[in-house]
Amino acid sequence: MPYTIVDITENADKAVKELKLKHGNVIFHLSGGCCDGSSPMLLPKEDFYLDESDIFMGEIGGVKFYMNEAQFEYWKHTHLTIDITEGRGSSFSLEIPEGYRFVVKSRLLTKEEELHFNK
């Protein structure tokens, strides 16, 4: 059984595909910073600088998902599912002008997942 630490809902996946057609190469980033920083942001890949403090969490919807290491300390025992909801957020994420925003739904990792991810 393949383990993932981040997944995406069908509706959010559809939104990502539409945004990729409109904006090209994109990445997800969860920073924990200002302006809805605890919400996943979909950003143009070439406009966002990743450094050693960004942790690669996996790929969802054909898009790489990164999280700042400080934020990871809060989320390291959880499985994340990226979804969408109606309404505008207050971030720089590409979906905001479309009238919806990405959100994180989480649950604690199972014992098996904990063992897998914390080898």
Side-chain angles (χ1 to χ4, degrees), residues 19-20 23-31 39-50 63-64 66 91-96 102:
L19 289 164
K20 283 171 56 178
H23 297 282
N25 290 330
V26 294
I27 63 167
F28 268 111
H29 192 267
L30 188 64
S31 69
S39 295
M41 293 188 286
L42 189 70
L43 304 162
K45 184 178 180 182
E46 61 276 353
D47 289 352
F48 191 78
Y49 174 73
L50 294 168
V63 175
K64 291 184 177 182
Y66 295 89
S91 77
F92 303 107
S93 192
L94 294 172
E95 81 283 359
I96 298 303
F102 292 106

Side-chain angles (χ1 to χ4, degrees), residues 44-90:
K45 184 178 180 182
E46 61 276 353
D47 289 352
F48 191 78
Y49 174 73
L50 294 168
D51 64 24
E52 64 278 350
S53 70
D54 295 303
I55 298 170
F56 176 66
M57 304 292 290
E59 193 170 301
I60 56 171
V63 175
K64 291 184 177 182
F65 190 100
Y66 295 89
M67 182 183 296
N68 181 270
E69 67 185 347
Q71 189 73 350
F72 179 74
E73 284 302 308
Y74 293 106
W75 294 93
K76 66 184 175 184
H77 299 290
T78 60
H79 178 275
L80 310 177
T81 300
I82 306 307
D83 201 359
I84 57 172
T85 189
E86 289 184 21
R88 292 176 55 104
S90 60

Side-chain angles (χ1 to χ4, degrees), residues 7-14 81-84 105:
D7 284 314
I8 191 166
T9 66
E10 189 175 318
N11 286 338
D13 185 60
K14 181 180 174 194
T81 300
I82 306 307
D83 201 359
I84 57 172
K105 296 181 178 181

